[in-house]
């Protein structure tokens, strides 16, 4: 019986979701974009779901995931894509240019700096971290470190 209880308790972890977070809304974030302007969560389109990716430009898993995401960007035409990091604005600019993200204006990339509001909101420990919100703003899935492919993600929306 104890094993069954432990199994059900860990099921959200195995599915890449934290049971406490599933009821969360989009955090009230503010990120600085590569052009120096600020983008706020309140500016998101209220009629589209959101894929928020918390990443580190020096993380190999992150850069591989983002590279694959860019290749499949057309699958997310009805989804808002927001990439958030904590590194300096200069590092964001360098990464956006080097990764080719500057060719995808529909993908928001910015830094929250050392506020860590987004990082603490989702309790991010490993990168990349993905938070999927439906068009009402409700969180319905999270993934950390080992993430689905962009094709698998697109099917979730």
């Amino acid at each position: 019986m104890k094993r069954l209880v432990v199994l059900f308790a860990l099921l959200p972890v195995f599915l890449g979701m934290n049971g406490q977070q599933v009821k969360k809304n989009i955090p009230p974030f503010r990120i600085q974009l590569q052009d120096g302007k600020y983008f706020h969560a309140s500016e998101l389109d209220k009629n589209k779901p959101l894929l928020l990716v918390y990443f580190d430009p020096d993380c190999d898993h992150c850069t591989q995931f983002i590279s694959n995401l860019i290749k499949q960007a057309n699958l997310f035409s009805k989804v808002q894509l927001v990439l958030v990091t904590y590194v300096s604005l200069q590092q964001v600019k360098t990464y956006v240019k080097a990764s080719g993200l500057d060719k995808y204006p529909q993908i928001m990339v910015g830094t929250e700096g050392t506020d860590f509001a987004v990082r603490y909101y989702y309790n991010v420990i490993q990168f990349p971290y993905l938070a999927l919100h439906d068009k009402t703003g409700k969180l319905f899935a999270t993934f950390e470190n080992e993430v689905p492919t962009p094709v698998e993600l697109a099917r979730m929306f």
Side-chain angles (χ1 to χ4, degrees):
M1 182 67 173
K2 280 185 179 180
R3 289 182 187 177
L4 190 58
V5 170
V6 170
L7 177 64
F8 280 111
L10 292 176
L11 188 59
V13 173
F14 294 131
L15 295 176
M17 298 180 288
N18 179 327
Q20 293 177 328
Q21 293 179 344
V22 173
K23 296 180 184 177
K24 287 188 174 184
N25 291 319
I26 297 169
F29 66 82
R30 178 186 88 146
I31 58 173
Q32 190 173 20
L33 304 174
Q34 68 172 356
D35 62 5
K37 294 180 182 172
Y38 284 92
F39 180 80
H40 300 83
S42 61
E43 298 175 68
L44 289 167
D45 186 332
K46 305 286 189 244
N47 298 311
K48 284 186 168 184
L50 169 68
L51 169 57
L52 187 143
V53 179
Y54 200 92
F55 75 104
D56 180 339
D58 292 327
C59 160
D60 290 336
H61 285 99
C62 299
T63 56
Q64 184 63 45
F65 172 76
I66 292 170
S67 176
N68 290 336
L69 184 68
I70 290 170
K71 291 174 188 170
Q72 301 291 328
N74 61 320
L75 297 175
F76 296 92
S77 61
K78 296 181 181 175
V79 178
Q80 298 174 95
L81 300 174
V82 177
L83 281 56
V84 181
T85 187
Y86 60 90
V87 299
S88 73
L89 183 58
Q90 185 56 48
Q91 288 173 288
V92 170
K93 289 178 182 181
T94 301
Y95 179 73
V96 166
K97 182 82 170 148
S99 66
L101 279 164
D102 55 339
K103 295 175 181 70
Y104 298 87
Q106 75 273 27
I107 302 175
M108 298 286 219
V109 185
T111 182
E112 68 170 347
T114 56
D115 290 347
F116 299 122
V118 175
R119 190 172 187 175
Y120 292 149
Y121 185 86
Y122 292 111
N123 195 25
V124 177
I125 297 171
Q126 294 183 350
F127 306 114
Y129 181 91
L130 281 57
L132 288 65
H133 291 265
D134 65 19
K135 64 182 179 181
T136 69
K138 297 289 183 201
L139 182 69
F140 66 89
T142 61
F143 301 92
E144 195 164 9
N145 191 23
E146 297 297 324
V147 297
T149 67
V151 173
E152 292 168 332
L153 277 174
R155 290 183 187 139
M156 294 179 196
F157 287 103

